[in-house]
Amino acid sequence: MPARMAEHILVVEDEADLADLIAWNLRQAGYRVTTAPRAATALAEIRRQKPDLVVLDLMLPDMPGTEVCKRLRRDAATERLPVIMVTAKGEEVDRVVGFEVGADDYVVKPFSPRELVLRVGAVLRRAAGTPDESEQAEVITIGKLAIDVPRHEVRVDGDLVSLTALEFKLLLDLARRRGRVQPRDALLERVWGYAPGVETRTVDTHVKRLREKLGAASDYVETVRGVGYRLRDDVPEA
Ligand code: CA
């Protein structure tokens, strides 16, 4: 097998020491890394270089990182570009990975470089998808909900629902195990690709966003307190 082309990570961070530390660790892990100290430089570099993933600091001198992320999500050329946000406060997390901003994941300062490298790997694997799943000719129908696996299309009452790649993967995972409770850590491993033991609220935030998008089928995704989530299989036929 030919050697894999090193994936290109753009690190957007105005604190030079931190940018260097992140870049060094990512290079050690085999990635190609460039850095940008400001939002404006970052947006120009993203257009020009088309990186595979962006590590984006929330506090930048010219524009908040959340605004950079929102702009990327609004542009068809970058709407699926994986973004890991670096935040200073845990409280911002819901907003950062939520519908409004749309980052794929986050780390909270101070974070270990190793943790960031692990998350970069997981987000890239997720973005690449799993071809064996997408190639299966399969449509899963549950009540008002129809999941067309090869087309990556979801419909509720016949209307197309626009899901991110991650939301689709999450819904499909729940649908394939419908009726059975899926613990958060199992979802983290299968959908996010995290090693066991990684603690994150990302599952809850993404389920919340998925429910909002499912509209009339939002109550199909049940919360099982203290355990995880389940896709109901006791819904009436459409
Ligand atoms: Ca900063």
Side-chain angles (χ1 to χ4, degrees), residues 13-15 57-61 109:
E13 170 60 74
D14 57 307
E15 292 163 60
D57 186 33
L58 189 79
M59 300 284 283
L60 295 167
K109 288 181 185 176

Side-chain angles (χ1 to χ4, degrees), residues 87 89-98 106-108 200-202 205:
T87 74
K89 288 178 293 194
E91 305 90 77
E92 283 160 337
V93 163
D94 283 349
R95 201 166 81 85
V96 162
V97 297
Y106 63 92
V107 289
V108 179
T200 166
R201 282 195 281 159
T202 198
T205 315

Side-chain angles (χ1 to χ4, degrees), residues 70-88:
K70 280 193 237 177
R71 288 190 189 195
L72 294 175
R73 291 294 172 258
R74 280 200 297 263
D75 183 341
T78 55
E79 64 181 343
R80 281 168 190 267
L81 173 63
V83 174
I84 296 181
M85 195 80 84
V86 178
T87 74

Side-chain angles (χ1 to χ4, degrees), residues 160-173:
L160 204 57
V161 178
S162 174
L163 298 183
T164 66
L166 177 68
E167 288 158 358
F168 182 84
K169 203 172 166 188
L170 174 62
L171 179 64
L172 184 59
D173 192 283

Side-chain angles (χ1 to χ4, degrees), residues 57-68:
D57 186 33
L58 189 79
M59 300 284 283
L60 295 167
D62 53 338
M63 187 193 293
T66 46
E67 181 57 33
V68 176

